[in-house]
Amino acid sequence: MFFQKDIETMNRKDLESLQLERFKRIVKYCYENVLFYKDKLDKAGINPDKIKTLSDIQYIPFTTKEDMRNNYPYGLLAVPNKKNVRIHASSGTTGKPTVGFYTKNDLEVWSDQVARVAVGGGATSEDVFQIAFGYGLFTGALGLHYGLEKIGATVIPASSGNTMKQLMMMRDFGVTGLVATPSYALYLGECMKSLQYPRSDYKLRLGVLGSESCTIKMRNKIESCWNIFVSDNYGMTELGGPGVSGECTYRCGLHFAEDHFLPEIIDSETGKVKASGETGELVVTTLSREGMPVLRYRTRDITRLNYEPCKCGRTHVRMDKIMGRTDDMLIIKGVNVFPSQIETILMSTQEVAAHYQLVVRRKNYMDNLEVKIEVADPELLEDFGHLKDLQNNIRAKLKSILGLDAKVTLVEPQTIERFQGKAKRILDLRNETEE
């Protein structure tokens, strides 16, 4: 069993002492190895030697997604490229991805973090895990892959799609653990019920799900459908991928790997650190990354931190499930989607107007995105062939940039609601359409 008891049950005083030691070191490391951070800290009048306590973190400037974009591709790399052994990336707002760099040691530490999350959720070396995340630049698949292998579990890198084959492998190989998005796990369950094979042909007992939000209602449906236990986990490319935090079997919050990450809660409007137990925007500093350390990254995720020790014995702070975001990013089928990405595509298409709406629904337990756009000339709606070509063209551009197949609907001028203030581009109906 992979349980780092000395670290995961460390008392708060010793844990904070360890954090302070690593915090001082990472600020100095960033200052000496990343020009972006040297300039940022110099402008803020912060010298690494001035860091004396954990509370001094409030004086360090934030890192934002815009900083990530502006320093693409190598601007945040802290080591010579020959020491960088892997690159992962997620979709960005302008077509340029958000990049993560990893040294050999980073990969070792990352697999430790994921192993903790998996074991906390009930995984053991006896399990056979099928990973139904898409392999590639996305951090989820390989992140969970190496973490599960570290605990001694058997891993099937099934990747995404091909549902009938997924179910066949689950039966044939006696799969006991599933790694997937919540929506795909539920879809697999529905397909399982439609086949002639009884539930007894499946040995599945655990679901380690992630990459998109999962309501309690949806989790209950997944568990009921498969008769399994589902745990949630949290991570993002900017912080290294999955393994930042994860639920234990008590499911009373996601345990942060506090020896590797220093979390804060801030007021998203003022940037001020909020009191312990208050809800706000999650900000995270990496404490052990070599390839791409990050100081005070604004995740834009809204949550709350609970510093009380958990019933499981782990003492690291627990974060609530994400309650929302401070920006307009959507997560659909594990893909980060920004309205600004879509707007860039639409505004470069002459035959459509500047008015659009993004409608997100959940059908058959899968998230679906519809992009509604007004045409510039109503006569276009009478030319079916031209209309179809335009729809297909926009759909292909969206898929190329987003990595997501969206439905495109062209509508008459003046049919999409106007707003005097900030336009409400997103209509998220997932809770209403969840089946």
Side-chain angles (χ1 to χ4, degrees), residues 166-184:
Q166 297 269 7
L167 292 170
M168 179 192 75
M169 288 190 292
M170 291 171 75
R171 296 189 302 270
D172 293 350
F173 295 115
V175 171
T176 58
L178 174 67
V179 174
T181 61
S183 56
Y184 191 59

Side-chain angles (χ1 to χ4, degrees), residues 61 66 121 144 228-229 326 340 363 411:
E66 185 178 36
L144 269 296
I228 63 173
F229 178 86
T326 64
S340 55
K363 184 177 181 180
V411 300

Side-chain angles (χ1 to χ4, degrees), residues 364-423:
N364 294 328
Y365 309 106
M366 298 289 284
D367 291 347
N368 294 278
L369 173 63
E370 178 185 10
V371 181
K372 290 185 175 181
I373 320 128
E374 289 183 7
V375 296
D377 183 353
E379 292 185 5
L380 178 62
L381 296 171
E382 299 177 9
D383 187 342
F384 180 78
H386 192 172
L387 190 70
K388 196 68 177 176
D389 288 343
L390 180 59
Q391 283 179 313
N392 289 337
N393 181 40
I394 295 173
R395 184 176 179 182
K397 287 181 179 179
L398 291 171
K399 189 171 185 178
S400 175
I401 297 298
L402 304 179
L404 185 75
D405 195 12
K407 177 183 178 182
V408 174
T409 304
L410 299 175
V411 300
E412 294 182 5
Q414 303 297 319
T415 56
I416 291 178
E417 186 176 0
R418 276 29 172 190
F419 297 90
Q420 293 183 3
K422 183 178 179 181

Side-chain angles (χ1 to χ4, degrees), residues 2 106-116 143 146-148 150:
F2 192 93
D106 286 335
L107 293 181
E108 191 66 28
V109 171
W110 186 19
S111 63
D112 278 358
Q113 294 164 3
V114 176
R116 283 187 201 174
Y146 285 99
L148 288 166
K150 175 154 280 191

Side-chain angles (χ1 to χ4, degrees), residues 5 17 52 96 117 137 141 149 157 166 175 177 201 229 248 251 266 270 279-280 299 312 363 375 391 399 419 429:
K5 185 176 181 179
S17 178
K52 304 296 183 183
K96 295 293 187 179
V117 167
L137 289 172
E149 283 189 342
Q166 297 269 7
V175 171
D201 281 3
F229 178 86
C248 68
R251 291 194 302 207
I266 67 164
T270 66
T279 297
T299 68
C312 71
K363 184 177 181 180
V375 296
Q391 283 179 313
K399 189 171 185 178
F419 297 90
L429 303 177

Side-chain angles (χ1 to χ4, degrees), residues 327-362:
D327 61 13
D328 55 2
M329 187 184 84
L330 292 166
I331 302 178
I332 301 172
K333 297 180 181 177
V335 177
N336 295 347
V337 177
F338 293 86
S340 55
Q341 292 173 293
I342 297 173
E343 185 169 304
T344 299
I345 296 168
L346 300 183
M347 295 309 100
S348 65
T349 306
Q350 292 184 351
E351 292 173 297
V352 298
H355 304 285
Y356 65 94
Q357 186 177 52
L358 311 181
V359 184
V360 189
R361 299 181 177 87
R362 185 162 285 151

Side-chain angles (χ1 to χ4, degrees), residues 31-69:
Y31 189 82
E32 294 177 348
N33 293 282
V34 184
L35 181 59
F36 164 78
Y37 280 121
K38 183 180 187 306
D39 290 344
K40 209 172 184 69
L41 291 171
D42 283 344
K43 288 176 182 177
I46 302 298
N47 184 298
D49 293 334
K50 292 183 179 179
I51 303 298
K52 304 296 183 183
T53 67
L54 286 177
S55 63
D56 288 338
I57 196 170
Q58 65 185 302
Y59 304 117
I60 293 177
F62 296 114
T63 304
T64 66
K65 186 172 283 289
E66 185 178 36
D67 292 327
M68 299 280 182
R69 293 201 305 267

